[in-house]
């Protein structure tokens, strides 16, 4: 068994006609992590070790929600292998309160990401806690939640990253600028401008058109839209500079920058642990994201063209076994060839080829010499570094006559 395990889910879509998959129990429309909601998909649950070695997987219907899947998967693993993992690392979208309660009752420990809404449950205890530096640009502070009866519960760890804060500030500013561009275009239609006098458009702006334009801008702005205060005309009122106004909500922007940007909230039932140690453990969660990228990119998990469920499961099983081999190669490279990724190693090994040298004789027979080419200098150095040796050259084969297919002589 492994003391720490990582759990997460991903999806993969199908390039098939949906009408031909009506009998499938797996292919469903659902939340697509590949940004392909138009395609049928399946959900894949994956369990890894901290070193990136896959332990188990399960194929789920494409409309499976992330929440509520984890404990059912754990029960199946327990039935097969016994208890796996003492500490489970999960993203904040996976566990529910019911899942965490079942894990506590089953004597599992967990370290999960938590939504910022949980900060209200902690109250002022986290506000009063002092920041502790983990490394340059990263700091943490922690506090335990208290229930209605005054009993202490899980430990919450708030982390702040200076680099993440700058990135999220830039992302939010970009979305706000895009939203303000639409709002200023609407101002121009009404003849409203801060910098110069402008005449309203000859084509009047209706309330329905205004709401449609704002809905499109809101969908693009996301949560940044909540930082803009907008006043709309009432139903039946004309759209004028007096009935339609907007302005940036600066108090909410300052609050968002102070509390949200660059922060991430963790939750665990390891209440006696050091918050710095917990943050370092949670950073291992990046291994499973790396595994998903390998599955979908290097190993070609998608797109899938199968329609039958057994072939879909066989396709994902082959991809899982390839992921196991890739993780093994990565572990070997980490110890013997640091700095090289599995993809770089495979690309170098692609230069090794097998050829047949065909030698016709004077009596009508053919000698076939199967030979692998000699590796280049850099490939030979990599083979030696990984402690790999090429097999001996195969013995020659004698054919009574040259086959019509063997028309090329090397």
């Amino acid at each position: 068994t492994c003391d720490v395990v990582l759990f997460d889910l991903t999806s993969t879509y199908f390039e098939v006609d949906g009408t031909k998959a009506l009998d499938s129990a797996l292919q469903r429309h659902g939340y697509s992590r590949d940004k392909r909601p138009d395609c049928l998909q399946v959900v894949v649950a994956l369990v890894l070790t901290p070193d990136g070695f896959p332990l188990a997987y399960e194929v789920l219907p494409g409309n499976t929600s992330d929440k509520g899947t984890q404990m059912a998967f754990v029960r199946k693993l327990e039935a097969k292998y016994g208890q796996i993992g003492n500490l489970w690392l999960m993203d904040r979208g996976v566990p529910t309160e019911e899942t965490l309660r079942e894990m506590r009752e089953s004597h599992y420990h967990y370290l999960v990401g938590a939504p910022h809404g949980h900060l209200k449950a902690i109250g002022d205890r986290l506000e009063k806690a002092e920041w502790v530096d983990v490394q340059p640009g990263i700091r943490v502070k922690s506090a335990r939640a208290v229930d209605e009866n005054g009993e202490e519960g899980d430990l919450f760890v708030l982390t702040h990253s200076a680099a993440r804060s700058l990135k999220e500030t830039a992302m939010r500013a970009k979305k706000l600028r895009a939203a303000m561009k639409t709002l200023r275009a609407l101002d121009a239609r009404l003849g409203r401008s801060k910098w110069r006098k402008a005449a309203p458009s000859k084509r009047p702006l209706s309330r329905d058109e205004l709401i449609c334009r704002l809905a499109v801008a809101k969908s693009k702005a996301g949560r940044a839209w909540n930082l803009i205060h907008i006043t709309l005309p009432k139903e039946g009122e004309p759209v004028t500079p007096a009935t339609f106004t907007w302005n940036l909500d600066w108090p909410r922007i300052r609050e968002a920058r102070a509390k949200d940007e660059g922060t991430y909230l963790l939750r665990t039932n390891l209440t006696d642990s050091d918050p710095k140690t917990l943050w370092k453990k949670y950073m291992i969660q990046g291994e499973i994201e790396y595994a998903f990228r390998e599955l979908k990119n290097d190993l070609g998990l998608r797109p899938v063209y199968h329609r039958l469920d057994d072939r879909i499961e066989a396709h994902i099983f082959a991809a899982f076994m390839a992921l196991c081999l890739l993780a093994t190669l990565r572990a070997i490279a980490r110890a013997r060839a640091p700095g090289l990724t599995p993809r770089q190693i495979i690309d170098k090994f692609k230069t090794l080829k097998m050829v047949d040298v065909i030698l016709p004789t004077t009596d009508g027979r053919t000698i076939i010499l199967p030979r692998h080419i000699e590796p280049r200098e850099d490939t030979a150095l990599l083979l030696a570094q990984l402690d790999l040796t090429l097999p001996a050259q195969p013995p020659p084969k004698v054919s009574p006559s040259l086959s019509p297919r063997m028309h090329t002589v090397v």
Side-chain angles (χ1 to χ4, degrees), residues 91-110:
D91 198 8
R92 62 185 174 189
V94 176
T96 61
E97 289 293 334
E98 180 65 20
T99 300
L100 298 181
R101 182 187 63 78
E102 290 186 35
M103 294 191 71
R104 289 192 295 268
E105 293 175 352
S106 301
H107 305 290
Y108 283 105
H109 293 117
Y110 53 80

Side-chain angles (χ1 to χ4, degrees), residues 183-200:
L183 293 170
R184 285 170 179 162
L186 294 172
D187 283 347
R189 286 279 299 276
L190 300 176
R192 178 169 54 196
S193 176
K194 285 186 177 182
W195 318 112
R196 58 184 177 84
K197 292 183 179 181

Side-chain angles (χ1 to χ4, degrees), residues 191-227:
R192 178 169 54 196
S193 176
K194 285 186 177 182
W195 318 112
R196 58 184 177 84
K197 292 183 179 181
S201 173
K202 295 180 180 180
R203 184 167 62 90
L205 180 64
S206 66
R207 184 175 182 274
D208 290 343
E209 183 184 355
L210 172 65
I211 292 176
C212 289
R213 294 281 298 274
L214 293 178
V216 174
K218 180 180 179 180
S219 65
K220 295 180 180 179
R223 289 186 299 175
W225 186 259
N226 298 327
L227 304 178

Side-chain angles (χ1 to χ4, degrees), residues 318-338:
F320 177 79
M321 295 304 296
L323 179 64
C324 295
L325 295 175
L326 202 66
T328 303
L329 178 59
R330 183 183 174 201
I332 296 174
R334 188 184 296 123
R336 300 185 178 182

Side-chain angles (χ1 to χ4, degrees), residues 63-373:
N63 58 356
T64 303
S65 172
D66 289 0
K67 299 179 179 179
T69 59
Q70 193 249 349
M71 281 310 298
F73 188 37
V74 171
R75 299 303 181 203
K76 291 182 181 179
L77 293 179
E78 286 179 339
K80 290 183 179 180
Y81 313 111
Q83 183 170 347
I84 295 180
N86 182 42
L87 174 62
W88 284 70
L89 305 183
M90 293 171 284
D91 198 8
R92 62 185 174 189
V94 176
T96 61
E97 289 293 334
E98 180 65 20
T99 300
L100 298 181
R101 182 187 63 78
E102 290 186 35
M103 294 191 71
R104 289 192 295 268
E105 293 175 352
S106 301
H107 305 290
Y108 283 105
H109 293 117
Y110 53 80
L111 176 59
V112 302
H116 276 77
H118 284 70
L119 290 173
K120 298 179 182 179
I122 308 174
D124 298 333
R125 307 188 77 181
L126 197 58
E127 291 286 340
K128 296 177 181 178
E130 296 184 357
W131 289 104
V132 178
D133 292 332
V134 180
Q135 62 186 44
I138 303 290
R139 54 181 183 167
V140 298
K141 62 180 178 179
S142 62
R144 294 186 65 179
V146 179
D147 61 14
E148 298 176 353
N149 300 323
E151 296 182 359
E152 291 186 329
D154 287 348
L155 178 70
F156 287 84
V157 179
L158 185 65
T159 69
H160 180 270
S161 168
R164 184 187 179 106
S165 179
L166 292 175
K167 178 181 178 180
E168 292 182 357
T169 300
M171 292 171 59
R172 182 170 295 174
K174 182 179 179 180
K175 291 184 177 182
L176 280 176
R177 284 195 296 268
M180 291 170 63
K181 183 178 180 180
T182 300
L183 293 170
R184 285 170 179 162
L186 294 172
D187 283 347
R189 286 279 299 276
L190 300 176
R192 178 169 54 196
S193 176
K194 285 186 177 182
W195 318 112
R196 58 184 177 84
K197 292 183 179 181
S201 173
K202 295 180 180 180
R203 184 167 62 90
L205 180 64
S206 66
R207 184 175 182 274
D208 290 343
E209 183 184 355
L210 172 65
I211 292 176
C212 289
R213 294 281 298 274
L214 293 178
V216 174
K218 180 180 179 180
S219 65
K220 295 180 180 179
R223 289 186 299 175
W225 186 259
N226 298 327
L227 304 178
I228 304 175
H229 182 268
I230 298 177
T231 303
L232 294 174
K234 297 179 181 179
E235 189 172 355
E237 287 185 344
V239 181
T240 64
T243 58
F244 168 60
T245 60
W246 65 273
N247 62 280
L248 295 177
D249 193 342
W250 285 107
R252 296 191 68 175
I253 293 176
R254 295 188 187 96
E255 182 182 1
R257 294 197 63 179
K259 295 184 177 181
D260 294 342
E261 292 179 357
T263 60
Y264 199 84
L265 188 62
L266 305 178
R267 178 181 180 178
T268 181
N269 58 348
L270 293 171
T271 55
D272 297 330
S273 299
D274 181 22
K276 295 190 293 184
T277 304
L278 292 174
W279 176 83
K280 292 177 180 178
K281 284 185 177 180
Y282 191 78
M283 288 299 100
I284 305 173
Q285 185 72 6
E287 287 289 339
I288 203 162
E289 299 298 333
Y290 180 80
F292 286 150
R293 285 196 299 270
E294 287 181 329
L295 270 174
K296 296 182 178 182
N297 298 327
D298 291 346
L299 301 179
L301 174 64
R302 62 182 184 190
V304 185
Y305 295 93
H306 302 296
R307 292 187 291 110
L308 302 179
D309 287 353
D310 56 348
R311 295 186 179 183
I312 292 170
E313 294 193 16
H315 177 92
I316 296 176
F317 172 75
F320 177 79
M321 295 304 296
L323 179 64
C324 295
L325 295 175
L326 202 66
T328 303
L329 178 59
R330 183 183 174 201
I332 296 174
R334 188 184 296 123
R336 300 185 178 182
L340 287 179
T341 65
R343 170 52 54 193
Q344 292 172 326
I345 294 175
I346 292 173
D347 288 341
K348 285 187 176 294
F349 285 170
K350 281 183 179 179
T351 60
L352 298 174
K353 299 184 182 300
M354 196 76 179
V355 298
D356 286 341
V357 181
I358 301 173
L359 302 174
T361 61
T362 56
D363 57 359
R365 294 183 299 170
T366 303
I367 299 176
I368 304 174
L369 300 175
R371 289 292 182 268
H372 56 71
I373 65 174

